[in-house]
Amino acid sequence: MTEAAEFNASRWVLLSDWSAGTIAFVAVVALLVLGLAWHNGRGLSPRRRRVLLGLRAVSVAVLFALFLEPGLRLENVTRVRNALVMLVDASRSMALPGEGDGTRLEGVRRMLERHEGTLEAWRALHNIEFYAVSDHARPVGGPAELTASGDATRLAVALADIAARHRPEDLAGVVLFSDGADNGALGALRAGEGLPAAAREAVARLATPIETVFTGPRSPVKDVAITDVQYDAFAFVHNAVSIEADVRVQGYDEVSLPVTLRRDDTLLGTRVLQVSKGPDGTAQSHFTFDFVPDKTGKAIFTLEVGTAPGEQITVNNRRQFVVRIIRDKIRVLQVVGRPSWDQRFLRQLLKKNPNVDLISFFILRTNSNLTMASQSELSLIPFPTEELFKEQLGSFDLIVFQNFTYRGYNMEAYLPLIRDFVRNGGGFVMIGGDLSYTNGGYAGTAIEEFLPMNLRAGRGELSTETFSPVLTDAGRRHPVTTLSVVPEDNTALWAGLPPLNGYNRVGALRPGAVVLLETPAPERAPVVVAHEFGEGRVLAVTTDSAWHWDLHAAESGDNRHYYKFWGNAIRWLIKDPALQPVRIQADRDRYPQGAEASLTVRVSGRDSLPAAGADVAVDVERVSLDAEGRTQTEVVHHQSGTTNEQGELVLRFTPPGDGGYRARARALVGTSEGTDEDPFIVAADPIELRETRARPETLAALSEASGGRARTLSDGLDDLVRREPQVSRVNRRKDVPLWSSAWWLLLAILFPSAEWYLRRRWGLL
Amino acid sequence: MRNPTRRGALTAFAAVAGALAARPAGAIGPDDETGIALLRHGAGATLRPGAVEQLLWEATKRTSIDARERPAVVEPESPEVFRHPLIAWLGEEACPPLSDAAVARLGRYLRAGGCLYIDDASPPGVDGFDQSVRREVERLLPGRVLSRVSNDHTIYRSFFLLERPFGRTARQNFLEGVELDDRTAVFYGRNDLFGAFGRDAGGSWRLPVEPGGDEQREMAFRMGINLLMYATCLSYKRDQVHVTEILRRRKWRVDEGGVVK
């Protein structure tokens, strides 16, 4: 083996073992010698003085070198390859058009293919590691494994990931390929601004120059994008809700587009987007949609902006999200025809209920009353019929007509509005008395249309008998009349309540009316009747003496059943979801693409206890809107099963793609079928597609802060600055002394001799 | 007793006419019409004959309340008290203590939602009934004492606007009461309220009203009607002041321009 092959590293060393102090002392002596030589030559001509001093200096230098014993150290060393990190943005925005043909990611791939030879050569010194960058940096085998599918771009996080994985001394370099469309810490960075703290910290931890390679179009992509939607995941029914949206337009000087908001397929509002281009070539528009949810439950909302001519990216023109509409308080309107004990105890009950927002209006005086006082001596206000039954009607969840007649208040025009209120989902209770039902003149009116019974024409009839109401078969199971979940106890509790005094006689029941309480046989007149009308629910109570269940029952120390009865009634009337026998719930409102959804179905029996062994069928529909905004559904999954001991059935399935979905559950509860549905979204609005503009300034800022260079795809990689790998082990070493050479001896004799000769010749010796 | 005035005669005529006229039942059942029950303790049930009837007649004439025409009389120990949300206890001299059973019954009645109006009909300087009242209220509602009812209490505006309590006398210009569950369960007045209402068989007022005469009697009727209104409507008038504001504060509609109303 030749010596050159034997050693692969060399360096200069001092072979002497003089201490630093000795070396310093000798150096000072050498300088003194030179100083004396300069001093002694002061009588000479400048030329002779320089010559002699030069010869003295060379002599001293040669002797000093001999004193130090310089040598060449030859070594055979082993080096460990360091890491050349190639970070490639693999977010969705990399699938957008890049420079020239193809996507931004394809541009990166082509560049890497062009430099395959270079990379191969570098592999001798470096481990070339590829990472796909999205919300984090994840190792991949090579460019072929990269797909533009990440739902975020967090460049600072990715750099921090690399800093956590490698020490700075183990890095040959960091190369970042990206379109710069960061939606993390660097998302708000503007050209010329310093890095935000998170990015600054990541760069400092890396302590390695970051070479960035920008991939993206030179001119802005033609795109209209919904960049942000601000909404609350929860909203209150009958309370105005604001949804705000930011729309960014780039690549257009002028465009006019509709912006729409839909709840399922109901159009909630339309705005017009008018563009005037901003200083950075883009235009930002802000929209606010206000609407009032009229029913509880989850719903899919779709915000959409129209497609501009020639628009290159349309997937970001639509955003879908789920809002859960809940009830803050139950808004009850209690209208009373005359003060009475029945009204007094019901009002007290409603006032005590913290979940009820009560508006009462009592008729304290009619036109037939003689107050014997001027208006200023009375505390009366006019009956605000228009405000209550027209302007504010829709703000209520439940209307109670308690021994109230509409006659005498010019209310005829409002009765159809009340009917429509019920038809559209409102609750309504009519409570008996001498001003109710037929006695109130409701026969033939819009009110009668939704009552559970026909009203007798002509004068009403009142029964003044005292009776104990009897629970019907339906009443034993109905949530309104469930005082106890144990059927026997329930029947006994009803039988133990104080008797009632009188009731309104009414006509035949309508189909679908469910009598819950009735007078004893043989008459069996309805006392409490439940009925559904359109989307709404109606409860007819034909007596005005239910207050005895409060005060009178308290005589035995227990008036809670009065509260239980009306509490049940209110919850049933407003369709409290907790009363639904079948409920289905997805474990999330929004899933990322490819994630598995877990659907839990809960079935409870009429006794409100979990129903084990119930057969359940679940359909999952994909919900989309067609061009006209109509809902289109397609069943994408069907599954059946049986509930466990807890009355639950858990189903899992993976939605096939982006979009809105609705899971529907059906189960047989007793003899009737219960249903429920729950909507959810699958990654329909990735953040990646909100900001599509390629941003070279982000990459330039990273490079500048780290001491690297910002380059483009066309700049190539050949001049990439890389650090050499570090030595990990010295296998063999040889020191070659240079001072022992004859040349050094010759020089040590030659220069003093020359000085001696000249001094003698010039007469200085 | 004062001579009847023209207004008094007209009122008396109206009363008789009203009593003769048939009228529809206000509530369906016999126990459900609004009324006042007299507590049979001491002289309470018989002290002011015809007074409750006259007050209820006036209430029916002047308001939409359709009141029971005859007062009920309840024994303090009887479970019947629970059928009458408003009970009046009248007296003018010291009474024997209520039995323990009566105290338990009435105490439960008050806590369950009943209302007791105590009317001291004794003349100025006679405090025997007053001492009995204070003693019994402490027994009925242990730990609670009668305290002055504010002059902006709902009872002063439940129908008529009044500045203070009125009655046959003007012994005290405020009421006392006991609050329970955001309502006044016990009122105590010392102006012989019910003394201002009674008529004799000839239609004349049984007792003179002092010092204000007929005008004071009218105010006493208004006070009585307000009591009845408070017993049936509780804090309704207090809340009603805010109804319009509450309704208009609700942001539940969006107009055509997208503005929330």
Side-chain angles (χ1 to χ4, degrees), chain A residues 30 55 63 129 141 151 153 155 158 166 186 202 246 265 273 291 338 393 450 472 503 589 653 748 753:
Chain A
L55 288 170
L63 290 171
E129 299 176 358
D151 278 336
T153 306
L155 298 181
H166 292 292
L186 292 160
D246 289 317
D265 55 0
L273 169 71
F291 66 97
R338 66 166 97 250
L393 184 66
F450 62 76
T472 63
Y503 58 91
D589 289 343
F653 105 109
S753 299

Side-chain angles (χ1 to χ4, degrees), chain A residues 101 126 485 580 629:
Chain A
D101 294 337
H126 312 299
V485 294
Q580 285 183 228

Side-chain angles (χ1 to χ4, degrees), chain A residues 240 292 338 343-344 347 351 362-364 369 372 377 379 387 391-392 395 434 501 547 555, chain B residues 26 28 32 61-64 105 108 113 157 159 161 222 232 236-237 239 248 250-253:
Chain A
V292 178
R338 66 166 97 250
Q343 153 264 310
R344 176 238 186 273
R347 173 175 160 78
K351 285 290 287 182
F362 300 168
I363 304 298
L364 301 184
N369 295 126
M372 314 283 281
E377 294 173 298
S379 69
E387 187 152 26
E391 293 175 4
Q392 305 289 345
S395 73
D434 64 308
N501 293 311
W547 66 274
E555 187 266 325
Chain B
I28 304 176
D32 290 274
K61 180 183 71 174
R62 300 184 188 208
T63 75
S64 61
R105 182 88 65 191
R108 196 159 63 241
R157 50 195 158 99
F159 191 83
L161 294 171
R222 293 183 183 184
T232 50
Y236 165 65
K237 271 294 167 189
D239 296 351
R248 290 175 183 166
R250 291 179 174 180
K251 303 287 185 189
W252 67 276
R253 285 179 300 175

Side-chain angles (χ1 to χ4, degrees), chain B residues 8-258:
Chain B
L10 285 170
T11 307
F13 174 77
V16 173
L20 292 174
R23 61 178 179 81
I28 304 176
D31 271 0
D32 290 274
E33 289 175 313
T34 309
I36 301 173
L38 289 170
L39 189 72
R40 194 190 303 279
H41 186 64
T46 55
L47 186 64
R48 296 289 181 249
V52 172
E53 292 91 324
Q54 189 63 38
L55 174 61
L56 295 178
W57 186 86
E58 289 285 344
T60 302
K61 180 183 71 174
R62 300 184 188 208
T63 75
S64 61
I65 291 177
D66 212 349
R68 185 193 307 122
E69 294 176 0
R70 296 281 168 196
V73 177
V74 292
E75 304 287 343
E77 296 87 356
S78 167
E80 282 297 300
V81 296
F82 286 91
R83 291 182 172 278
H84 305 282
L86 176 59
I87 294 176
W89 177 21
L90 283 51
E92 59 181 353
E93 55 192 32
C95 298
L98 291 165
S99 69
D100 289 345
V103 168
R105 182 88 65 191
L106 285 174
R108 196 159 63 241
Y109 163 84
L110 292 172
R111 283 187 290 273
C115 182
L116 177 65
Y117 184 87
I118 306 171
D119 193 23
D120 183 359
S122 54
V126 177
D127 293 325
F129 183 69
D130 179 68
Q131 290 163 9
S132 301
V133 167
R134 295 183 192 282
R135 179 191 69 219
E136 297 307 320
V137 168
E138 279 197 40
R139 292 179 66 207
L140 292 173
L141 300 169
R144 296 177 185 272
V145 293
L146 287 165
S147 57
R148 182 170 177 156
V149 172
S150 164
N151 279 15
D152 64 358
H153 190 281
T154 311
I155 197 170
Y156 296 117
R157 50 195 158 99
S158 57
F159 191 83
F160 294 103
L161 294 171
L162 302 174
E163 294 178 351
R164 58 186 174 84
F166 291 91
R168 189 186 66 81
T169 63
R171 187 172 184 183
Q172 192 167 278
N173 64 357
F174 59 88
L175 291 174
E176 292 175 84
V178 179
E179 292 280 321
L180 281 178
D181 284 346
D182 198 30
R183 66 188 170 86
T184 304
V186 177
F187 285 105
Y188 176 38
R190 304 197 66 188
N191 295 330
D192 190 11
L193 175 64
F194 286 84
F197 304 150
R199 289 180 183 276
D200 59 21
S204 300
W205 300 114
R206 287 182 185 274
L207 296 171
V209 173
E210 295 170 337
D214 284 348
E215 193 172 329
Q216 182 176 328
R217 193 186 302 277
E218 166 62 19
M219 299 308 280
F221 271 115
R222 293 183 183 184
M223 184 70 214
I225 289 170
N226 273 18
L227 169 65
L228 207 55
M229 278 292 180
Y230 180 79
T232 50
C233 302
L234 297 177
S235 61
Y236 165 65
K237 271 294 167 189
R238 183 185 67 197
D239 296 351
Q240 198 191 37
V241 174
H242 309 291
V243 163
T244 306
E245 185 189 340
I246 292 168
L247 285 172
R248 290 175 183 166
R249 202 172 52 216
R250 291 179 174 180
K251 303 287 185 189
W252 67 276
R253 285 179 300 175
V254 180
D255 67 12
E256 291 175 358

Side-chain angles (χ1 to χ4, degrees), chain A residues 88 165 210 253 306 326 372 456 464 596 627:
Chain A
V88 184
R165 187 179 277 260
I210 300 169
D253 290 335
I326 58 175
M372 314 283 281
R456 301 176 179 207
T464 57
E596 186 181 63

